[in-house]
Amino acid sequence: MKHHAVLITVLVALIVSLVSVSAIFWEFYKLNHEQYINHIFTKYTVITQIYREHQQRQSSEVMLEANLAVYDIEMIKDEKQKRTILTKSKILKREGFKSFNTSLMISEKGMYTKNTVTNLRATMLEYKKAIYFHIETPNGDILIRDNDLKPYSYINILYTYATVFLIISLSFVLVLQKLRPLIRLRKKIALYGKGNMNVSFKTSSEDEIGSVANELDKARRKINNILESRTLFLRNLMHELKTPIAKGTIATQMLESPKQRERFTSIFKRLETLVNEFAMIEEVTSLNDKKDFSEYRLVDIIDGAIDMAMVERESVSVDVPADVKIQANYRLYTTAIKNMIDNAMKYSTDAHITIRINEEGELCFESKGECLKHPLQYYIEPFTKENPSKNSYGLGLYLVDSILKAHGQVLAHEYENGVNRFIFA
């Protein structure tokens, strides 16, 4: 979901827009239809007046038809047709009302006015695309067909709705088309992040996404050049340093003074260790993916680290179940554990370290000693010292932290009852 947030947002916007437009047009259609029905329904008053006059004067049906024909209204006289229409037609509107009629009357007492109230009901019907009016009175009823009026047509509204619907849909299709380069760019960036340094972001497009892609390609080339220069520099530096270190180590053995020989041997050994650590750091920082990772038993990695540290087995207590396995780069992870052993041998008060798995399933390194005087972050920096009178921490913890980050872990520290506890969390 998160990888397609923009696409999903666009689709949701499209759906909301289309639903909103559809709802608006539906409400407009209902309102317009109702107004149309109400407008043409008013014609029943003319029909009612003609029919009432016909009843009052008791004129002939010929006269009634003639009066209705003036308004292009046709009376349905066939009873069978009339029943069919009344049965099968659709009622558009029906309304009951009272008709008031005033007439002048003469009696023995003289002239007077007589008011007559008649209950009427008018029904507007639709049958086979024609409009009919059914007028009912206490004295009878009449069904007429209005040839002027046509049923409500929704074609214009449907045409307008379809046009708006199509325009919105096409607009969103164009937006999605513009987003396609962004999706391709995201995939290329992912490939670059996985270590494919030759992937190209360059594009011929001149829009905003194209500009971003071309700038990314420029940045990619610069980063590649910097990485190549750094790698070449480190490799040449380490190669050039190893030769004089080897020569210096050989020359040291020719010194007659044991004190001087021991001092220079320590110096060259330290230089060789630093060169190897630099090489390891270069390897860690160049680790782009986990293709070199495999599953190993943790006890096997710890055994390899003890051998690499060249310490007595009695100096290391291992309390790790044999069935615990991890995905790791064997050489790098072994180096990280070896550095933790070296660190304990150097700074613990009894030159002993315990390696175990805690309750959270994390690898712990415990050794007796004084509590760290600074936060752990201080010691992760290269070449920091706990005490100027002692040797530098060098690149040991910095290298451990870098290796753990490459494995998706972090280095943590806690102090309890005179014991320093470093944790691979």
Side-chain angles (χ1 to χ4, degrees):
M1 290 286 288
K2 293 182 179 179
H3 296 300
H4 303 285
V6 175
L7 180 61
I8 292 174
T9 301
V10 172
L11 292 177
V12 170
L14 171 60
I15 293 172
V16 171
S17 299
L18 294 179
V19 170
S20 300
V21 169
S22 300
I24 291 172
F25 269 91
W26 175 249
E27 292 298 324
F28 177 74
Y29 161 75
K30 292 195 297 183
L31 178 62
N32 189 257
H33 181 262
E34 183 180 356
Q35 289 178 342
Y36 180 80
I37 297 299
N38 291 336
H39 175 70
I40 64 176
F41 186 69
T42 57
K43 199 168 185 179
Y44 83 89
T45 55
V46 175
I47 303 168
T48 301
Q49 184 178 358
I50 294 173
Y51 183 58
R52 188 177 57 200
E53 290 179 357
H54 163 71
Q55 288 183 328
Q56 289 175 351
R57 296 176 182 177
Q58 296 183 351
S59 58
S60 64
E61 286 192 1
V62 176
M63 182 63 67
L64 175 60
E65 290 180 14
N67 290 332
L68 291 174
V70 174
Y71 298 95
D72 200 12
I73 296 175
E74 174 187 353
M75 187 172 66
I76 307 299
K77 296 185 290 183
D78 185 272
E79 290 297 326
K80 183 178 179 180
Q81 181 184 6
K82 182 177 178 181
R83 284 195 303 271
T84 301
I85 295 173
L86 292 176
T87 303
K88 298 182 178 181
S89 62
K90 176 183 177 182
I91 298 176
L92 299 179
K93 189 170 182 179
R94 173 176 285 164
E95 187 175 299
F97 58 96
K98 295 181 182 296
S99 174
F100 295 90
N101 183 45
T102 302
S103 58
L104 190 62
M105 306 295 291
I106 301 175
S107 67
E108 296 177 354
K109 296 181 180 180
M111 298 180 64
Y112 67 94
T113 301
K114 181 181 180 182
N115 294 323
T116 304
V117 179
T118 307
N119 292 322
L120 299 175
R121 188 171 75 167
T123 305
M124 185 167 66
L125 307 170
E126 179 183 339
Y127 181 70
K128 291 186 178 181
K129 298 184 179 180
I131 298 296
Y132 296 85
F133 285 94
H134 185 217
I135 308 299
E136 299 173 87
T137 70
N139 299 323
D141 69 306
I142 183 175
L143 178 66
I144 57 95
R145 172 177 173 176
D146 194 323
N147 295 319
D148 276 344
L149 299 178
K150 300 296 180 183
Y152 177 78
S153 176
Y154 54 85
I155 296 300
N156 291 335
I157 291 181
L158 181 61
Y159 174 77
T160 306
Y161 169 72
T163 303
V164 174
F165 190 95
L166 184 61
I167 291 173
I168 294 176
S169 300
L170 289 177
S171 299
F172 277 92
V173 168
L174 292 176
V175 171
L176 291 176
Q177 284 293 108
K178 285 295 182 180
L179 286 178
R180 289 183 63 187
L182 188 61
I183 296 173
R184 291 196 296 268
L185 180 61
R186 179 184 65 80
K187 292 180 179 178
K188 289 183 178 180
I189 293 174
L191 288 175
Y192 186 73
K194 291 179 180 178
N196 186 354
M197 310 302 287
N198 295 321
V199 63
S200 177
F201 305 121
K202 194 175 176 87
T203 178
S204 59
S205 176
E206 297 181 354
D207 58 11
E208 292 82 353
I209 297 177
S211 299
V212 171
N214 290 329
E215 290 299 322
L216 274 175
D217 195 68
K218 293 179 183 178
R220 177 192 65 85
R221 292 198 296 268
K222 290 180 181 179
I223 292 172
N224 287 353
N225 291 335
I226 292 173
L227 290 175
E228 290 175 3
S229 299
R230 182 184 68 85
T231 302
L232 182 63
F233 171 76
L234 287 176
R235 289 178 179 174
N236 287 337
L237 177 65
M238 288 182 289
H239 176 74
E240 295 299 328
L241 284 176
K242 283 184 177 181
T243 301
I245 289 173
K247 290 180 180 180
T249 302
I250 296 173
T252 298
Q253 304 303 317
M254 300 178 183
L255 294 175
E256 296 180 358
S257 172
K259 185 176 181 180
Q260 292 293 328
R261 186 165 57 248
E262 182 180 355
R263 179 180 299 173
F264 279 102
T265 299
S266 176
I267 291 173
F268 284 115
K269 185 177 180 181
R270 178 61 177 159
L271 285 174
E272 185 178 5
T273 301
L274 283 175
V275 170
N276 291 332
E277 288 180 344
F278 274 123
M280 188 69 68
I281 290 173
E282 194 274 334
E283 182 179 351
V284 172
T285 54
S286 300
L287 191 65
N288 295 313
D289 53 39
K290 296 186 178 181
K291 63 181 180 181
D292 294 329
F293 284 33
S294 298
E295 187 177 70
Y296 299 97
R297 291 196 314 162
L298 189 54
V299 291
D300 294 335
I301 296 179
I302 294 174
D303 285 341
I306 294 174
D307 293 337
M308 188 185 297
M310 293 184 294
V311 297
E312 297 294 333
R313 290 279 174 171
E314 293 77 13
S315 300
V316 182
S317 298
V318 180
D319 183 15
V320 176
D323 60 344
V324 177
K325 298 180 180 180
I326 62 170
Q327 286 283 338
N329 180 302
Y330 181 85
R331 195 166 74 87
L332 292 179
Y333 211 82
T334 302
T335 301
I337 296 177
K338 173 256 182 187
N339 282 1
M340 296 307 302
I341 295 173
D342 287 342
N343 188 64
M345 295 299 103
K346 187 184 298 184
Y347 294 100
S348 66
T349 55
D350 59 356
H352 185 274
I353 183 173
T354 299
I355 305 175
R356 67 180 185 86
I357 297 291
N358 64 12
E359 295 177 355
E360 287 75 25
E362 300 166 331
L363 187 61
C364 299
F365 302 86
E366 298 177 349
S367 59
K368 294 182 180 179
E370 297 180 0
C371 181
L372 301 181
K373 296 180 180 180
H374 302 282
L376 179 62
Q377 188 62 37
Y378 172 82
Y379 300 97
I380 291 176
E381 298 297 327
F383 303 110
T384 55
K385 291 184 178 182
E386 171 66 34
N387 190 327
S389 64
K390 293 187 176 183
N391 293 329
S392 166
Y393 274 83
L395 296 172
L397 291 184
Y398 171 75
L399 183 58
V400 170
D401 182 66
S402 299
I403 292 173
L404 290 182
K405 287 179 179 178
H407 287 76
Q409 296 178 314
V410 294
L411 180 63
H413 172 264
E414 58 186 29
Y415 186 79
E416 184 180 7
N417 298 327
V419 175
N420 282 299
R421 184 178 296 111
F422 290 90
I423 305 171
F424 286 7

